[in-house]
Amino acid sequence: MNQPMSKNSAMLTADSRLNGKRLGTGRKHGFFYELFRNRVLFLMLLPTLIFFFINSYIPMVGIYYAFTQFDFNTSLFDAKFVGLQNFRFLWQSGTLTKLTLNTVGYNAAFILLGNVLAIVLAILLNELRGRYFKKIAQSVMFLPYFVSFVILSVIVYNIFNYDNGFLNTLLLQFGGERVDVYNKPWVWIFLIILFYLWKNLGYSMVIYLAAITGISDEYYEAAKMDGANIFQRIWYITVPMLKSTFVVLLLFALGSIMKGQFDLFYQLIGNNGVLYNTTDILDTYVYRSLKVTFDVGMASAAGVYQSLFGFVLIMTVNYIIRKLNDEYALF
């Protein structure tokens, strides 16, 4: 049998209900109530929602063409439905495997080398005591970020051109022979990574430098009093304090690991088929399928695979990080 409620318990229950009504927690409100209550905030959010709806959600209708054999002589939705034939061709021909390895491999190198070198440069720059030299060095390293990929392609071409490039001209001056760099696929694995780091390293370094300047000086002063040298202060104070920044930047980068750097690859490689085995990524393949072969179905299939692979990857990595440390997860 239920015990009768005491007088004090009844008073506490009545007070809690009254306070719940005053604070608005006594009843649950629906979406439309929140929409009306925060209508100004939702109105401010409306342009962003419209932008993503037009540019991100409406184009998703194009997924349909990944399962068709598109014919330009027919209308958009009269294309022949072929099911998974496009995906099967990409897999059996080995194209999908090659594109995946190239895309993931290059982006993994960009992410790991880019973040590690950015942390090292940010720490070194932070330890500089010359105020003006520090500002000049930071500006010089950040400047390549504003160089367009078109200008970069011109610089690269003038360096490695077979006939009158800077490299071959220099080799001839010292009695050597010309080197056809544009006919050596393995060389471009290192060149692409090198030029990517040259262009983007300064930007990443500024982010880590901002995180370092936010570390309290009290940690370093206490470490000095305990007899820690500069390397110990960096290893036991600076590096651990940059962990959260590194994880967040890593998650953002992993979200686009299948997207690649289309401008970089297309401007440096162009339509040089000799280099496709080591430099072709999903973005350049999709572009070339639309521009050269006009194969809409194959390009759409590669794009769908690219999106699904990237989605699964970011969800998996975020889940693992959330299990290890919930504070570092994106959601």
Side-chain angles (χ1 to χ4, degrees), residues 55 114 185 197 221 224 243 246 249 260 323:
N55 295 280
L197 294 176
E221 295 297 332
K224 287 181 181 179
K243 182 179 179 180
F246 174 79
L249 292 179
K323 288 296 183 181

Side-chain angles (χ1 to χ4, degrees), residues 95-106 185 188-189 192 260 262 265-266 269-289:
T95 303
L96 207 58
T97 304
K98 180 189 70 175
L99 295 175
T100 303
L101 291 177
N102 287 344
T103 306
V104 175
Y106 278 111
W188 288 92
I189 298 175
I192 288 176
F262 172 77
F265 284 86
Y266 183 74
I269 306 302
N271 296 319
N272 189 351
V274 179
L275 307 178
Y276 282 166
N277 285 332
T278 57
T279 61
D280 202 17
I281 59 174
L282 281 164
D283 290 73
T284 55
Y285 177 81
V286 171
Y287 176 79
R288 196 168 59 253
S289 297

Side-chain angles (χ1 to χ4, degrees), residues 14-139:
D15 291 340
S16 62
R17 290 178 179 176
L18 181 60
N19 292 331
K21 291 181 179 180
R22 290 175 180 175
L23 297 174
T25 59
R27 52 180 296 192
K28 294 182 178 179
H29 300 291
F31 171 75
F32 292 101
Y33 174 82
E34 293 295 330
L35 182 63
F36 177 78
R37 181 184 178 187
N38 302 301
R39 55 189 179 275
V40 177
L41 297 178
F42 280 102
L43 188 62
M44 296 171 62
L45 186 63
L46 186 61
T48 303
L49 296 177
I50 294 175
F51 173 83
F52 280 104
F53 178 75
I54 294 175
N55 295 280
S56 299
Y57 287 94
I58 292 181
M60 290 178 67
V61 179
I63 294 175
Y64 166 76
Y65 298 109
F67 307 94
T68 64
Q69 185 177 355
F70 187 80
D71 188 357
F72 286 93
N73 295 322
T74 61
S75 60
L76 291 176
F77 293 98
D78 288 338
K80 180 182 177 182
F81 185 81
V82 294
L84 298 176
Q85 182 176 329
N86 293 325
F87 296 94
R88 189 179 301 110
F89 175 80
L90 287 173
W91 175 259
Q92 292 178 351
S93 64
T95 303
L96 207 58
T97 304
K98 180 189 70 175
L99 295 175
T100 303
L101 291 177
N102 287 344
T103 306
V104 175
Y106 278 111
N107 279 289
F110 294 160
I111 294 170
L112 295 178
L113 290 177
N115 282 279
V116 171
L117 292 177
I119 292 174
V120 173
L121 288 178
I123 293 175
L124 293 177
L125 197 61
N126 183 68
E127 295 299 329
L128 293 177
R129 292 293 173 258
R131 180 180 177 184
Y132 294 102
F133 178 78
K134 185 176 180 179
K135 289 184 177 180
I136 293 174
Q138 182 177 344
S139 301

Side-chain angles (χ1 to χ4, degrees), residues 38 42 84 106 129 182 185 191 206 213 216 239 254 283 299 316:
N38 302 301
F42 280 102
L84 298 176
Y106 278 111
R129 292 293 173 258
Y182 284 95
L191 290 179
V206 170
T213 55
S216 177
V239 174
L254 288 177
D283 290 73
T316 303

